[in-house]
Amino acid sequence: MPIDTGVNAGTPQQFPHYDSYNIVQLHDYQKFAHDFIMTRPYAGLFLDMGMGKTLTTLSALYDMNPPGHVLVVAPKNIARSTWLDEIAKWNLPLRTKSFLVNENDRPLTKKKRLELYAKAPTQPPTVYFINRELVCDLVEHTPNWCYPIVILDEAQSFKSYGSERFKALKKVRPNIERLIELTGTPSPNGLMDLWSQIYLLDQGERLGRTITQYRNEFFTPGLIVNGYPVKWTPRPGAEQEIYRRISDIVISMKNTMLTLPPLTVNNVYVHMEPKERKLYEQMKKDYVLNIPSICAEDGTIDVIAANAAVLSAKLRQMASGALYVDDQHNYKVIHRRKLEHVAYLLRCTSSPVIIAYHFQTDRIMLETYLTSLGFDVKVFDGSAAMIRAWNAGAIPVMLLQPASAGHGLNLQEGGHTLIWYTIPWSLEEYQQTNARLYRQGQTDPVVIHHILAKKTIDEQVLRAIDKKDMSQAQLIDAVRAEF
């Protein structure tokens, strides 16, 4: 069992003194989370996005003064810049090294990375940074594990118990003396996502040593396909029992403890012209759309949706204005209604704007159309230099793909307006991207625009995200730290 010093019984004003408090500026709830880390060798901070998980953890690392290496596993862009930016901002005396880029922020070759792996055991205590895709590579090339402290930033990326990255960490877990999990969306698809994350904390002590044991105790089979269950439903009372079992190693706090500027969410509807809607309705009805080929001499071409999942993607793409017509991602423009409204919003906004897109056709159309109107548009490339430029107010319009750049980035200093050109199905991507602006450090009222094509799948996606938030909110509330 983890060390329990009664931290949950305290009040926000009853904190012991730590040296880091003289260096970093923590809110009371962050000090509470800091203490939680300090008094438990294995801890999960399921904190809302923007509540300062990185800074809280760094302050704890400073007070631990770890005698050995620290390994931070994070999405690529976060491992590449966010943690290093926070360390530099607060001038924390932590020795750092990246397994991703060199001192000039250029990607490392595989040969150079392997050399760094080999040198690590002989180096003084260092905070190493790596992305989650390279965890297997690190474990494979580190026969004698030399990272006693591991931090999983965006721990929900280890939710799949069958993934190679989870199996790799499970292999070295007995050699990890302190593990910290950070996430704002621990169960984006339901309670089944929790098992692997909690297993890495306690090696199966609370929720079972295998996924089968977890399922059998807390769930009943739902949908059966070919004799095998593919969907599981929580048993009566299971949720409460799961929350109770993990409450001593996981804390969560909602943004009600943090005063942020006002947030306005604005749904903007655009309307397709009759001929455009006719194409949309034909695809929705028939799963087939006959449209002119990209090459005029080829006449027309049939665009076919093989199944409902493919149809959903094609309808979302059409709602945003385009449609792929072949496997090479050549596309046909269906309408420019969303593009026109984006331009209108940009003209009415005096500060820099982030535009979140989903399809590559979205990016191409946005970049081409807005540039033709004279807007200075940049596509986010994940570099530290671009993050600094945005936060300095030097990028008027930045296009961002949530799946590759929505986690952990501190973008609140550069602007306070976000336009969703195409809303994702993923609640996690949606919430994480919103939190790039609406987070601690934001000083201006934040405005989030959803551009929705009227009477299309856009409206269903927005409703689905609202519905998914219910199960996520239940988990957060259940393990909320009460002062």
Side-chain angles (χ1 to χ4, degrees):
M1 292 293 290
I3 302 169
D4 188 352
T5 60
V7 66
N8 285 303
T11 66
Q13 291 75 34
Q14 295 175 339
F15 297 116
H17 175 76
Y18 290 102
D19 290 341
S20 68
Y21 292 177
N22 297 322
I23 300 177
V24 301
Q25 299 172 7
L26 298 182
H27 295 281
D28 280 348
Y29 72 86
Q30 291 172 322
K31 292 179 179 179
F32 187 89
H34 169 285
D35 289 1
F36 195 86
I37 294 174
M38 295 294 291
T39 56
R40 289 157 175 79
Y42 306 103
L45 302 190
F46 292 1
L47 301 181
D48 273 8
M49 294 155 291
M51 294 188 74
K53 296 186 291 293
T54 301
L55 181 59
T56 298
T57 306
L58 284 173
S59 71
L61 282 181
Y62 177 85
D63 288 324
M64 290 175 196
N65 189 23
H69 293 331
V70 177
L71 179 70
V72 177
V73 182
K76 186 174 182 179
N77 290 322
I78 310 309
R80 185 175 172 179
S81 62
T82 301
W83 284 78
L84 293 172
D85 288 347
E86 284 292 302
I87 291 172
K89 177 180 179 180
W90 298 100
N91 196 29
L92 293 171
L94 297 171
R95 187 176 189 273
T96 62
K97 196 72 175 178
S98 174
F99 287 136
L100 298 173
V101 295
N102 61 19
E103 290 76 7
N104 297 317
D105 199 34
R106 295 184 180 278
L108 294 176
T109 64
K110 182 175 183 179
K111 179 181 178 181
K112 183 62 176 177
R113 187 166 58 249
L114 292 178
E115 290 176 357
L116 291 179
Y117 291 167
K119 290 180 181 178
T122 62
Q123 297 300 300
T126 302
V127 182
Y128 285 94
F129 298 93
I130 195 169
N131 64 320
R132 51 207 180 189
E133 289 79 11
L134 286 174
V135 167
C136 298
D137 186 63
L138 176 64
V139 172
E140 179 185 354
H141 292 94
T142 309
N144 297 313
W145 189 252
C146 58
Y147 308 95
I149 299 178
V150 175
I151 299 168
L152 302 183
D153 195 350
E154 305 303 340
Q156 76 279 1
S157 62
F158 287 83
K159 66 181 181 291
S160 174
Y161 55 86
S163 68
E164 294 303 315
R165 67 181 67 160
F166 169 75
K167 293 176 182 177
L169 273 188
K170 181 182 178 183
K171 179 180 178 181
V172 298
R173 171 59 180 79
N175 299 317
I176 298 174
E177 299 171 9
R178 186 181 286 273
L179 179 67
I180 303 169
E181 293 186 1
L182 310 176
T183 178
T185 50
S187 57
N189 300 306
L191 291 171
M192 199 63 73
D193 290 345
L194 279 178
W195 179 80
S196 58
Q197 296 174 75
I198 300 303
Y199 179 92
L200 290 176
L201 290 176
D202 69 359
Q203 300 185 85
E205 182 178 338
R206 289 164 181 79
L207 299 184
R209 299 190 182 279
T210 65
I211 184 63
T212 301
Q213 183 180 348
Y214 179 57
R215 283 173 174 167
N216 290 342
E217 183 170 1
F218 297 109
F219 299 85
T220 56
L223 182 62
I224 306 292
V225 176
N226 297 326
Y228 293 94
V230 297
K231 188 175 183 180
W232 298 83
T233 303
R235 297 178 185 273
E239 293 185 37
Q240 293 75 16
E241 179 59 17
I242 290 171
Y243 303 149
R244 185 192 68 78
R245 291 193 187 184
I246 68 174
S247 62
D248 63 323
I249 57 170
V250 170
I251 60 171
S252 167
M253 290 165 284
K254 300 295 283 184
N255 269 351
T256 51
M257 300 178 190
L258 177 63
T259 301
L260 291 174
L263 171 66
T264 300
V265 179
N266 182 33
N267 293 335
V268 178
Y269 292 93
V270 300
H271 299 263
M272 294 183 187
E273 295 295 330
K275 63 179 181 179
E276 299 161 355
R277 174 156 297 283
K278 183 178 180 180
L279 295 174
Y280 181 90
E281 294 297 334
Q282 180 187 339
M283 173 59 82
K284 183 172 71 171
K285 178 182 177 182
D286 300 331
Y287 282 48
V288 177
L289 183 62
N290 182 263
I291 60 175
S293 172
I294 296 296
C295 301
E297 62 269 23
D298 291 343
T300 61
I301 186 172
D302 286 335
V303 180
I304 302 173
N307 52 52
V310 175
L311 177 64
S312 170
K314 290 188 178 300
L315 291 179
R316 290 178 64 215
Q317 193 183 19
M318 292 181 74
S320 289
L323 182 65
Y324 291 130
V325 298
D326 56 32
D327 294 335
Q328 287 71 48
H329 282 188
N330 290 311
Y331 68 94
K332 195 77 175 178
V333 175
I334 304 299
H335 68 84
R336 292 184 173 84
R337 307 298 158 236
K338 287 192 176 184
L339 292 172
E340 293 164 356
H341 206 88
V342 167
Y344 167 78
L345 291 174
L346 293 178
R347 293 190 187 101
C348 297
T349 304
S350 59
S351 61
V353 175
I354 291 177
I355 303 174
Y357 67 91
H358 181 79
F359 299 101
Q360 290 304 310
T361 50
D362 297 344
R363 177 187 59 77
I364 295 169
M365 292 171 64
L366 282 163
E367 190 173 16
T368 303
Y369 182 78
L370 295 177
T371 299
S372 72
L373 296 179
F375 291 102
D376 184 3
V377 181
K378 297 290 188 298
V379 179
F380 182 68
D381 62 8
S383 68
M386 195 164 192
I387 294 172
R388 288 193 294 268
W390 164 263
N391 281 324
I395 302 178
V397 181
M398 187 165 72
L399 307 183
L400 182 146
Q401 219 291 347
S404 60
H407 289 71
L409 300 176
N410 292 317
L411 303 177
Q412 69 274 20
E413 296 177 14
H416 51 92
T417 301
L418 170 64
I419 297 174
W420 279 101
Y421 190 80
T422 303
I423 300 176
W425 274 117
S426 169
L427 171 67
E428 177 187 348
E429 289 182 13
Y430 176 77
Q431 292 181 328
Q432 290 280 359
T433 303
N434 291 344
R436 297 315 100 220
L437 297 184
Y438 193 61
R439 63 193 293 112
Q440 181 186 340
Q442 179 60 260
T443 58
D444 295 302
V446 174
V447 179
I448 297 175
H449 299 288
H450 301 143
I451 302 185
L452 310 166
K454 189 70 174 176
K455 296 181 180 179
T456 70
I457 196 170
D458 279 354
E459 295 173 301
Q460 298 175 37
V461 173
L462 188 60
R463 285 196 294 269
I465 281 184
D466 289 339
K467 185 177 180 180
K468 284 184 179 180
D469 193 34
M470 294 300 292
S471 60
Q472 185 68 57
Q474 289 170 5
L475 169 64
I476 296 297
D477 288 340
V479 294
R480 178 188 298 174
E482 299 290 346
F483 294 117

